[in-house]
Amino acid sequence: MFKSSNLKDHRQIGQELDLFSFSEYAPGAVFWHPKGWIIYCTLADFLRKKLSQEGYQEISSPILVKSDLFKKSGHWEYYHENIFNFNIENQSYSLKPMNCPGSSLIYSAKTRSYNDLPLRFSDFGNLHRNELSGVLGGLFRLRQFVIDDAHHFVRPDQIQDEIHELLLLVVSFYKSLGFTPEFYLSTKPDKAMGGEKLWEEAEKDLKIALENAKVKFGIKEKDGAFYGPKIDIHIKDSQDRDWQLATIQLDFQIPDRMGLEYIDKDGKAKRPVMIHRAVLGSTERFIGVLIEHYQGAFPLWLSPVQCIILPISDRHTKAAQEIYKKIFQKGIRAAVDDRSETLQAKIRDATLQKANYMGIIGDKEVEKENVISVRTRDGKDLGQLEVSEFLQKLQEEIDKKI
Ligand SMILES: [Zn+2]
């Protein structure tokens, strides 16, 4: 665990490591710099790979849509002060604040049979929510962001199993990042859509799924979404701070409002149930949490600069460039520091940039060919390694995500 002195917030670390910036031209929206975008894409790729193994199909739907869609879905009534609206050719348009209505339109674009369910649509669409400029805060509170969203369309008899699988997915995803998730069941809020009986049933479904998954959980009274109860998933970071990230929400309302159907065994049209779920929550916010959790010192698989090659003097630059090429071509995010600085200065700068490894090349290494002296970010000397040996070590560490 990190000690509380000398801790930096993600905005400061983001600036020092050149990860992202903000501009007065787009309050509440992130400008991702190359290194920050590497972290973003690496995380998204990891999640996408996991989701395709779990039978998800990725979709994408428009960002600018007629406001009528949100009136139909029910979001307008409960959420309109957070929606950005425009008038285009005398029609009211909105920037989508959520992906659910778009997913519903894709669901209902063709006839679905009971056999097709469960359908799992994942969606990394850009969302916009009108937050007051005074409450915007770095990556934690934005007007434009991406949720690693998904909507599951299931038959009522599939709810338990589907939630069960989802809980396992969340546990396994966070475990692979070294976190232990904690679960909370959030019940009916005061401002809610739908009858008492449906809510009771839905809350019971989630409770049974939590019990079956054998995870400990707490209750958050009246904290559900307006369309249904939810399971909130929290993690603790390296500073023992609690973050609510993932969420699983059960919804009987939007399928009704959007007129979703599937044809059942008996040939009759029935309503599917919708499950909204996110694993990371807002991707931007999640990266903000990770930046503070690691204090910028990312594990190798996520690190934007995995290795910096440091020639000791100008006469070692050519050999350094050749070794850099070999490492870079194997997909390792490497760089060469060939400035005319002292080795001490280069090591200091590479450490400040939180590069995981430094590969030092001097007379001895040049003489042996294909050898570098490896040093870790924490100052540990790993001695001379063959380039192939070093690459193997990196790959093993990347695969383990440590
Ligand atoms: Zn949704």
Side-chain angles (χ1 to χ4, degrees), residues 75 98-101 103 129 149-151 227 249 251 254 274-277:
H75 288 97
M98 291 180 183
N99 293 308
C100 350
S103 289
R129 294 183 189 170
D149 216 352
H151 295 93
Y227 45 73
Q249 309 181 351
D251 181 359
I254 291 180
M274 196 172 185
I275 300 168
H276 312 247
R277 77 102 188 94

Side-chain angles (χ1 to χ4, degrees), residues 4 12 23 66 69 102 104 114 126 154 188 194 208 210 216 219 254 330 372 401:
S4 58
Q12 195 184 347
S23 161
K66 286 186 184 169
L69 179 64
S104 301
Y114 69 96
N126 265 294
V154 305
K188 187 170 181 265
I208 293 172
L210 281 162
K216 268 196 196 159
I219 305 277
I254 291 180
K330 289 286 177 191
I372 46 174
K401 300 206 163 26

